[in-house]
Amino acid sequence: MKTKVKKQVKTVKKEKETVKQPAPWLRFLSPLVCVLALVAIAAALLLLEDEYLWKVQELNLHLDTPLFQQQQEVVAGGWLTWLGTWFTEFFYHPVLGVGWLSLWWAVLMVLAWRAFNVPVKWMAVLLVPVAMLLLTCVDLGYWIYYLKLRGHFFVATIGLSVACAEVWAFRSLPSKYYLRPLFIAFSTAIAYPYIGFYGLLAALLMGVLTWRVEKGKKNAIIATCVAILAIIVIPLLYYRLLFYQTSQANIWWTALPLFRIVDEHPAYYIPYYIIVAFFVLMAATYGKLCDGAVKKPLWWGTIHMVLILALLMGVKTFWYRDYNFHKELRMQRLMEEANWEGILQEASNLEDEPTRAIVMMKNLALFRLGRQGDEMYHYLTGAKASNTPIPVSMVQVVGRSIYFYYGLPNYCYRWCLEDGVEFGWRAEYLKYLTRCAIVNGEYRVARKYIELLKQTRYHGEWAKNQERFLDKPDLVAQDANYKPVLELMDYDDNLNSDQSIVEMYLMHHFVFDRGHSKLYLDQAINSALWMKDIKMYWPFFSMYANNHKDEHMPTHYQEAAYLYAHLEPGIDISRMPFDDQVKQSYESFMQLAQRCQGMSEEQMKDVFFPQFGKTFYYEYFLIRNQKLY
């Protein structure tokens, strides 16, 4: 009887346990969340950062030559930069580049899972380093023009993957013959020259993890001491014996980006601090999370929801999404394609005050299309500062392109060389060095750059297309892109300095350097218009009229002449054939000005803009003190 009762009790208990036990597939929800998160990240990058990824690969350079690899490996972590630049090339096709990046993040998560023996049901915690790595890529903004670490998008991910692989190998070794301490010393000595800081991080993680996997304190103490010595001594030995090109202060931080322009910008290091803290915590808490079935699904699901929401909000908050920055990138891509109409379409739908870089690209497009005199003020103008804590100069953003297309190849050449030395050689620099050499007739120099570009994955076709100009120089003057540049180069060249202020130097160049070609004089009158100097404007207005006889005088040139004639007495304009619209617009403007006496300038802007925002009158009186950079 007692036996039957006991059996019945056991059966009831088993039934209760069966009822309480959730389905086994619940434990695989966490890996599924990881997969879905990677897919969502990839989709967001492709949807939101297409132009950004294009620019990243333009500011990248990987040459398929032994010399290039040797040049990267003169510093610790050089293997990471070599590999990082190789993968960055694939952003030429964003789907490929994002695919590689997502695959590397998946590899990192698998290696971390194995290294720290993370229970399958808690794999979603491995999204923390992935989210931080994503932020290191998408929170840069204007840093992409100044960051010196090559292959930045992939360097940290690959470095952490190798570090996790080291930790996994360390944990898999038997706890005898001092194999683990020996492995720490040996692996750090091998890894440091290849992955720099991440090799030292692996040593740190192994030093922490040893307290969780070693049974005796003696072995743990020895392994920890070896890890500390390896972190301190190995970089010093390599610095003394091999990597003398790295400053001693930086030997422990090689393969990490340097966020310093004049001043340090520590906020950009925060994702790296979180990554290091996360992996140290994983090593310190190794073995405390129990694997097996999910016993409390509600608690487990709540933790997952909080984690995912926190990561989502964090990434959304710090993802750099600046309207003008992305507008500049779109316009730069169109300029690279010589799509001048596309640039004007971008400039016609601005939702915010533009930066001067946007305004200059718009003016260049109008100039190349021959419509600047009629439409220069038909677009929203402004001088909004770049949304970034670093001191941005237009030279690094679009200065090289602007100088080249306005017929100043020597200044384009100069800035390509200076920035190449300062920030590292990039595909964009080599392209403009090639263009400058071609228009200067320096074909042997151009061939040197073309041969370098042929060693890249995706810029070789562009280089081969340019090579035809070296074999047949007569084609240069017939090419739609080069012909206007050659015509603008007809001026008295001299040695000067732009003081890194592109726009002001360019305008003064066209006014004072006395070019001779018709196209140069066309731009000179625009520059005189920009300078708002009455006495300077009249000679260029006369030259333009003489060069364009029997042609309609552009509206903005008429507006300036009609206004200046009224501001400067003694100028006879009775014989000048001004359009009735120009005269009526001027009279209406002055009548409204009389009615608005007593208003501030900002108040007058709001009143005048709807009717006169597209006129030179509005530009002359109400657009003042714009900052140039």
Side-chain angles (χ1 to χ4, degrees):
M1 186 70 178
K2 289 182 179 179
T3 305
K4 290 182 179 180
V5 171
K6 287 181 180 179
K7 287 182 179 180
Q8 289 176 354
V9 170
K10 288 182 180 179
T11 303
V12 171
K13 286 183 178 180
K14 286 182 179 179
E15 288 177 355
K16 288 183 177 179
E17 288 177 1
T18 304
V19 172
K20 291 181 179 179
Q21 183 67 40
W25 57 265
L26 274 176
R27 66 198 301 265
F28 296 107
L29 278 181
S30 197
L32 180 61
V33 168
C34 294
V35 173
L36 294 177
L38 289 178
V39 172
I41 290 172
L45 284 171
L46 292 172
L47 181 64
L48 300 176
E49 302 293 356
D50 184 61
E51 288 82 9
Y52 177 65
L53 297 176
W54 168 82
K55 191 64 177 182
V56 166
Q57 64 83 29
E58 284 289 305
L59 297 176
N60 176 70
L61 183 67
H62 181 93
L63 301 178
D64 189 20
T65 64
L67 178 60
F68 179 79
Q69 183 174 357
Q70 293 170 13
Q71 288 174 333
Q72 307 312 304
E73 294 176 352
V74 297
V75 296
W79 178 78
L80 281 182
T81 61
W82 178 81
L83 203 55
T85 56
W86 188 83
F87 280 108
T88 303
E89 284 189 300
F90 289 97
F91 283 131
Y92 186 87
H93 299 295
V95 174
L96 287 177
V98 171
W100 276 117
L101 193 58
S102 301
L103 182 60
W104 266 111
W105 285 335
V107 169
L108 172 62
M109 293 175 73
V110 170
L111 290 172
W113 168 57
R114 298 301 298 165
F116 301 104
N117 199 22
V118 180
V120 174
K121 63 182 179 182
W122 294 112
M123 277 193 70
V125 300
L126 298 177
L127 288 173
V128 173
V130 171
M132 294 303 105
L133 289 168
L134 173 64
L135 283 181
T136 64
C137 297
V138 298
D139 73 339
L140 293 176
Y142 287 92
W143 273 108
I144 62 173
Y145 300 107
Y146 299 93
L147 203 61
K148 297 181 181 181
L149 179 63
R150 304 176 185 185
H152 169 80
F153 266 54
F154 287 89
V155 163
T157 299
I158 300 174
L160 288 171
S161 298
V162 176
C164 287
E166 289 184 65
V167 175
W168 183 12
F170 168 83
R171 187 179 62 80
S172 302
L173 289 172
S175 181
K176 58 183 179 180
Y177 308 124
Y178 299 108
L179 290 177
R180 284 173 174 165
L182 289 172
F183 180 81
I184 292 175
F186 180 75
S187 64
T188 306
I190 296 296
Y192 174 74
Y194 290 99
I195 62 176
F197 164 80
Y198 300 98
L200 305 181
L201 176 61
L204 173 64
L205 296 177
M206 289 185 281
V208 174
L209 184 62
T210 188
W211 291 91
R212 305 295 305 171
V213 297
E214 292 287 0
K215 295 180 179 179
K217 286 187 178 180
K218 179 182 176 181
N219 289 343
I221 291 172
I222 292 173
T224 301
C225 291
V226 170
I228 294 172
L229 287 172
I231 292 172
I232 296 172
V233 174
I234 287 175
L236 286 171
L237 288 175
Y238 274 106
Y239 171 72
R240 297 294 181 185
L241 301 175
L242 184 60
F243 297 125
Y244 55 87
Q245 293 193 24
T246 306
S247 65
Q248 186 170 344
N250 294 324
I251 58 176
W252 289 279
W253 318 111
T254 55
L256 286 176
L258 183 64
F259 294 107
R260 179 185 299 162
I261 301 177
V262 183
D263 297 319
E264 193 82 20
H265 296 273
Y268 290 92
Y269 293 108
I270 291 176
Y272 295 93
Y273 297 149
I274 295 175
I275 289 171
V276 172
F278 173 83
F279 281 111
V280 170
L281 182 63
M282 293 293 290
T285 59
Y286 173 84
K288 287 190 174 182
L289 293 176
C290 298
D291 201 354
V294 181
K295 296 181 179 180
K296 296 182 179 180
L298 183 61
W299 177 244
W300 171 84
T302 302
I303 293 176
H304 272 67
M305 288 295 294
V306 171
L307 175 67
I308 298 301
L309 287 175
L311 291 178
L312 184 62
M313 292 302 297
V315 169
K316 183 180 178 181
T317 300
F318 296 102
W319 191 311
Y320 185 82
R321 292 293 299 167
D322 179 62
Y323 178 80
N324 279 337
F325 173 71
H326 288 84
K327 178 68 74 171
E328 288 173 2
L329 293 178
R330 284 193 292 274
M331 295 175 80
Q332 287 183 64
R333 188 170 189 175
L334 292 168
M335 183 162 37
E336 179 67 19
E337 299 167 357
N339 187 351
W340 308 112
E341 288 287 357
I343 291 176
L344 295 183
Q345 290 177 7
E346 291 294 333
S348 65
N349 60 356
L350 296 177
E351 299 174 4
D352 192 8
E353 178 188 352
T355 61
R356 292 311 294 173
I358 293 174
V359 174
M360 287 213 69
M361 285 188 278
K362 175 264 297 182
N363 287 340
L364 174 61
L366 286 171
F367 177 59
R368 291 296 294 251
L369 295 171
R371 291 154 47 185
Q372 195 166 1
D374 285 310
E375 301 179 26
M376 192 190 321
Y377 304 121
H378 287 200
Y379 300 84
L380 185 64
T381 189
K384 187 172 183 179
S386 301
N387 182 22
T388 179
I390 62 178
V392 173
S393 171
M394 193 192 295
V395 168
Q396 275 74 43
V397 180
V398 294
R400 292 174 294 271
S401 308
I402 293 293
Y403 275 138
F404 175 77
Y405 284 112
Y406 274 119
L408 287 164
N410 290 342
Y411 278 85
C412 175
Y413 200 94
R414 168 229 169 160
W415 281 109
C416 286
L417 288 178
E418 289 194 14
D419 290 344
V421 172
E422 180 69 19
F423 306 114
W425 297 105
R426 301 167 175 183
E428 180 179 276
Y429 298 170
L430 293 181
K431 285 183 177 181
Y432 275 102
L433 288 171
T434 302
R435 293 179 174 116
C436 292
I438 288 175
V439 297
N440 280 329
E442 299 166 339
Y443 301 119
R444 291 180 63 184
V445 176
R447 191 174 296 279
K448 177 179 68 174
Y449 300 125
I450 286 173
E451 291 301 322
L452 288 173
L453 286 167
K454 283 182 179 179
Q455 303 304 318
T456 63
R457 181 178 302 275
Y458 292 112
H459 302 293
E461 287 300 317
W462 183 92
K464 291 176 182 177
N465 184 55
Q466 300 301 306
E467 198 169 23
R468 61 194 173 94
F469 296 115
L470 312 186
D471 301 325
K472 297 180 180 180
D474 293 341
L475 295 177
V476 178
Q478 303 172 20
D479 184 74
N481 286 322
Y482 287 132
K483 183 179 178 181
V485 176
L486 291 173
E487 291 184 31
L488 289 172
M489 290 170 62
D490 182 24
Y491 56 86
D492 299 329
D493 202 0
N494 56 74
L495 184 62
N496 210 329
S497 174
D498 62 357
Q499 301 296 318
S500 301
I501 304 177
V502 177
E503 187 173 8
M504 181 177 289
Y505 178 77
L506 197 61
M507 299 300 105
H508 282 77
H509 156 71
F510 281 111
V511 169
F512 295 112
D513 284 347
R514 301 302 178 188
H516 311 289
S517 70
K518 181 178 178 181
L519 199 61
Y520 185 100
L521 294 174
D522 289 354
Q523 181 55 34
I525 190 173
N526 289 308
S527 302
L529 211 63
W530 179 86
M531 299 176 75
K532 299 180 182 179
D533 188 312
I534 297 176
K535 293 182 179 179
M536 184 180 292
Y537 179 75
W538 286 115
F540 291 105
F541 181 75
S542 299
M543 283 188 285
Y544 185 91
N546 291 329
N547 287 329
H548 295 269
K549 293 179 179 179
D550 301 326
E551 294 182 24
H552 179 262
M553 178 68 70
T555 302
H556 297 319
Y557 303 162
Q558 290 188 55
E559 290 172 342
Y562 198 75
L563 172 63
Y564 290 160
H566 285 80
L567 295 178
E568 285 282 311
I571 299 177
D572 183 15
I573 59 172
S574 59
R575 296 183 180 181
M576 296 183 187
F578 290 105
D579 294 347
D580 291 337
Q581 182 183 356
V582 171
K583 297 177 183 178
Q584 293 172 4
S585 180
Y586 172 80
E587 296 300 333
S588 299
F589 186 94
M590 291 305 171
Q591 289 172 11
L592 183 57
Q594 289 292 328
R595 295 196 299 269
C596 292
Q597 286 185 359
M599 287 186 179
S600 67
E601 192 170 287
E602 291 302 317
Q603 290 173 330
M604 293 179 70
K605 283 183 179 180
D606 294 334
V607 174
F608 278 77
F609 185 80
Q611 185 177 355
F612 301 103
K614 297 181 179 180
T615 66
F616 177 72
Y617 312 132
Y618 182 90
E619 174 77 15
Y620 183 83
F621 288 108
L622 296 174
I623 302 298
R624 302 174 183 274
N625 303 319
Q626 288 187 333
K627 294 181 180 180
L628 307 178
Y629 62 96

